[in-house]
Amino acid sequence: MLVVLWVPLLVSRSYSILDIGAGLTGTAAAVSILFWLARQRTLTIDSRQRFIETIPGLAWTAEDDGQISSMNSHMREFLRISDGSLVVPPSSIHPEDRQKTFDLWMQKGGLGKPGTHRLVGPDGRHHWFRSVVQPVREADGMTNWTWGTFIDIGDLKAAEEALRTSEENLRGILDHIPGQISTADANGIHDYCNQIAETFYGHSYHELNGMGFTRFVHPDDLDGYISEGWEHIKKGIPIDRAVRLLRHDGVYRWFRIRINPAFDAEGKVTRWYGLHSDIDDEVRTLEDLQQAQEKLAQASAFAGLAELAASIAHEVNQPLSAVVTNSEACQLWLTATPPNLERAITSSDRVVRDAKEAADVVRRVRELFAQKVPHKGNISINEVIEDVVDLIRKKYGGRGLIVNTDLDLQAPRIFADRIQIQQVVFNLSRNGVEAMFANGSEPMTLDIRTQYADDTVVVEVKDNGVGLGDSHQVFEPFFTTKTDGMGMGLSICRSIVDAHNGRLWAKAGPSRGAIFAFELPVE
């Protein structure tokens, strides 16, 4: 539009090049003057000089043989060319750009085509320029002369370099994130994946994008992946699911796929960003753990059966021994001359009593392992201890055992299973006695005491035997220090006390021996 306006003026008035350049600035001036020059083929050297002085940037003119005929002051100052000289030192041009720059000036191709060149400025640094060369032709098409300019594009190059560096940094970050990064358009069509993904699938970026990604999903997971994925895409909600993806070597691995949408100002989905995290090792570990738990459960069941059998054998041994002893006594009284029927009847009554006690022991132990509620009633802990002490004295009295009791007469009755509590006291007492078998000349003394305090009744059984090793390990099933023991007594005692909401513990004696104690709540 500017050219159309200038042409009539040039015809009606005598305007100089300087007049024209003064009316316009920058690129607009250069373009307008160019069209005017196309009609002034016989412009003098001086006029050309005045013309290029108006051009912002480094500008020059050249004859049809490529010889530079003039250059503006900007070009002389930048390239440090003295007045009167038209020679550009080769050192002013970057070595890699010298040939194409000289070819440009010598009109060896590239006329009318922009190019990029690096020139050395007054600061000694190379600056980037974009070149534009335009020929001025005769009517027959022959070039009369040419003019050209170098426009400083240093800021543009710096911006391009910064952008390139930023893109490389971003690509480096994405390619080294420990996971597969992917993006998709608003319709869910993949359009990017990072190097981790390409390495995993063994395919290039183009092969992985579009709809081709679905061929890497395990057939059993594909229908759910596609149906759920499209549903989420339509609704614009994040995707989070586990699928198996095919690795380049034909192995499927579990991945957790998380994909989030990005929205525009109107709330419409513009893109999707996904992270695929390899969770195959975790899934395999969980599967192995589940299998181990199943095997452990089976082993625990077998161990429970073994523990039950050992417990029954351990607990029923004492009443069965009493049955045998009383049966032999009954037989002895019946075979006497004359038979002592009264004593035989007494022994047979004891056989019946001990047999019933053995049956009760079996039943209570089974209920204990079946976690059934004990048969509780109001009992006196002191009476239970007195019964046990009587049995202990009869059983071990011949070994010189001394049993001392210190029973708190203020202890109230407690709500408990008499048979089970009796088992606990008897087992603790028997263990204490057997721990003193190695005392030698040291007297065997067993002290049993009760104490009522803070709504609980505490029972202590103290011996002066060999003492304790690990006060916690002694309660573990099958742990024993006896050559003929099964290691079930204390484990059963703890189970009984726990079933009564009580607590059982052990500690070393003041000087020697051990103290076993338990407490039961008073209800």
Side-chain angles (χ1 to χ4, degrees):
M1 187 63 67
L2 290 172
V3 175
V4 174
L5 293 176
W6 275 108
V7 171
L9 291 175
L10 291 173
V11 174
S12 61
R13 282 189 56 188
S14 176
Y15 276 85
S16 69
I17 294 297
L18 294 179
D19 292 332
I20 298 174
L24 296 173
T25 59
T27 305
V31 172
S32 298
I33 294 172
L34 170 63
F35 279 93
W36 181 80
L37 286 174
R39 295 167 174 79
Q40 306 298 319
R41 298 182 180 86
T42 59
L43 197 65
T44 65
I45 298 298
D46 291 340
S47 298
R48 298 178 191 175
Q49 181 65 42
R50 290 194 296 273
F51 154 62
I52 61 176
E53 283 296 335
T54 66
I55 297 178
L58 314 185
W60 75 94
T61 64
E63 300 305 315
D64 57 356
D65 59 358
Q67 295 297 320
I68 295 178
S69 57
S70 63
M71 58 180 67
N72 66 0
S73 57
H74 297 302
M75 184 171 179
R76 292 183 180 279
E77 292 173 2
F78 189 86
L79 299 179
R80 299 181 300 280
I81 300 174
S82 60
D83 292 340
S85 175
L86 297 174
V87 178
V88 178
S91 58
S92 298
I93 308 171
H94 192 281
E96 296 178 3
D97 300 338
R98 286 174 187 169
Q99 189 60 49
K100 68 176 182 179
T101 304
F102 285 123
D103 288 346
L104 179 74
W105 282 326
M106 296 301 293
Q107 304 179 26
K108 294 183 178 179
L111 290 179
K113 297 180 181 179
T116 56
H117 309 260
R118 285 165 288 182
L119 305 179
V120 180
D123 56 2
R125 295 171 46 243
H126 285 95
H127 295 254
W128 281 98
F129 288 85
R130 179 174 294 278
S131 65
V132 177
V133 178
Q134 184 66 40
V136 179
R137 304 181 186 279
E138 297 289 351
D140 57 3
M142 297 298 293
T143 299
N144 189 354
W145 58 282
T146 59
W147 71 276
T149 183
F150 282 128
I151 302 172
D152 192 333
I153 59 171
D155 292 341
L156 177 60
K157 278 291 185 178
E160 290 178 350
E161 180 64 20
L163 179 60
R164 185 187 63 81
T165 301
S166 177
E167 290 178 346
E168 289 180 353
N169 290 338
L170 178 59
R171 186 176 297 106
I173 292 173
L174 295 177
D175 285 342
H176 291 86
I177 288 178
Q180 298 182 16
I181 304 296
S182 63
T183 63
D185 62 15
N187 297 319
I189 306 301
H190 288 78
D191 53 18
Y192 168 80
C193 64
N194 63 350
Q195 184 63 43
I196 296 294
E198 292 185 8
T199 301
F200 180 85
Y201 300 109
H203 291 263
S204 67
Y205 157 80
H206 299 287
E207 293 177 282
L208 292 174
N209 290 291
M211 291 299 295
F213 176 78
T214 56
R215 72 177 184 271
F216 299 105
V217 180
H218 192 282
D220 295 342
D221 304 332
L222 185 58
D223 291 342
Y225 173 78
I226 293 178
S227 60
E228 180 179 339
W230 283 121
E231 186 68 20
H232 282 242
I233 289 173
K234 287 189 296 183
K235 297 179 179 179
I237 57 179
I239 300 172
D240 186 348
R241 65 177 290 120
V243 298
R244 286 162 288 183
L245 300 177
L246 182 64
R247 196 168 60 187
H248 62 85
D249 57 359
V251 175
Y252 282 97
R253 291 185 64 85
W254 280 101
F255 277 79
R256 169 67 65 183
I257 294 182
R258 293 183 174 92
I259 306 175
N260 285 339
F263 302 93
D264 59 15
E266 298 178 355
K268 295 181 180 180
V269 176
T270 58
R271 295 195 57 74
W272 293 85
Y273 298 91
L275 172 63
H276 302 177
S277 302
D278 191 324
I279 59 171
D280 194 79
D281 293 338
E282 290 83 349
V283 172
R284 305 301 180 192
T285 300
L286 290 176
E287 291 177 351
D288 293 342
L289 178 60
Q290 184 177 359
Q291 293 178 0
Q293 289 176 338
E294 293 175 355
K295 292 180 180 179
L296 179 60
Q298 295 177 354
S300 299
F302 290 132
L305 293 175
E307 187 176 351
L308 175 61
S311 301
I312 294 175
H314 182 277
E315 296 303 310
V316 84
N317 183 63
Q318 189 271 334
L320 288 182
S321 297
V323 169
V324 173
T325 301
N326 289 317
S327 296
E328 291 175 346
C330 181
Q331 187 179 23
L332 180 63
W333 298 124
L334 289 176
T335 57
T337 304
N340 192 333
L341 297 179
E342 182 179 353
R343 288 179 176 258
I345 292 173
T346 300
S347 297
S348 64
D349 289 341
R350 291 176 178 174
V351 169
V352 173
R353 181 200 64 188
D354 294 336
K356 289 182 178 180
E357 183 178 347
D360 284 340
V361 168
V362 173
R363 177 173 56 82
R364 292 308 206 287
V365 171
R366 291 180 61 187
E367 291 176 351
L368 178 64
F369 280 90
Q371 297 182 348
K372 292 184 178 180
V373 179
H375 296 275
K376 294 182 178 180
N378 287 312
I379 65 172
S380 170
I381 189 66
N382 290 339
E383 292 178 1
V384 171
I385 292 175
E386 289 172 352
D387 291 342
V388 172
V389 169
D390 184 55
L391 292 173
I392 292 294
R393 283 172 176 164
K394 288 181 179 179
K395 185 175 181 65
Y396 300 105
R399 292 176 174 265
L401 173 67
I402 300 174
V403 181
N404 300 318
T405 59
D406 181 12
L407 307 181
D408 188 349
L409 300 180
Q410 301 301 319
R413 299 177 72 84
I414 61 175
F415 191 66
D417 187 311
R418 182 184 182 88
I419 296 296
Q420 290 187 355
I421 299 303
Q422 188 177 29
Q423 279 183 268
V424 173
V425 177
F426 183 81
N427 279 336
L428 298 181
S429 301
R430 182 177 58 188
N431 285 347
V433 172
E434 293 176 351
M436 296 185 288
F437 284 167
N439 280 5
S441 59
E442 183 76 20
M444 295 192 305
T445 303
L446 187 68
D447 297 319
I448 304 177
R449 64 187 295 263
T450 60
Q451 183 180 7
Y452 171 61
D454 299 329
D455 293 330
T456 60
V457 173
V458 178
V459 179
E460 283 188 358
V461 179
K462 177 183 176 183
D463 65 74
N464 65 338
V466 294
L468 278 177
D470 189 332
S471 60
H472 298 286
Q473 192 177 20
V474 294
F475 294 105
E476 294 181 2
F478 304 109
F479 174 81
T480 182
T481 58
K482 306 173 187 176
T483 56
D484 58 346
M486 292 187 296
M488 294 303 304
L490 292 177
S491 175
I492 294 174
C493 289
R494 168 160 284 182
S495 299
I496 292 174
V497 173
D498 289 344
H500 284 78
N501 300 318
R503 183 170 66 94
L504 172 64
W505 68 93
K507 61 182 179 180
S511 57
R512 60 176 293 164
I515 299 175
F516 285 84
F518 67 93
E519 65 178 9
L520 298 174
V522 175
E523 299 182 3

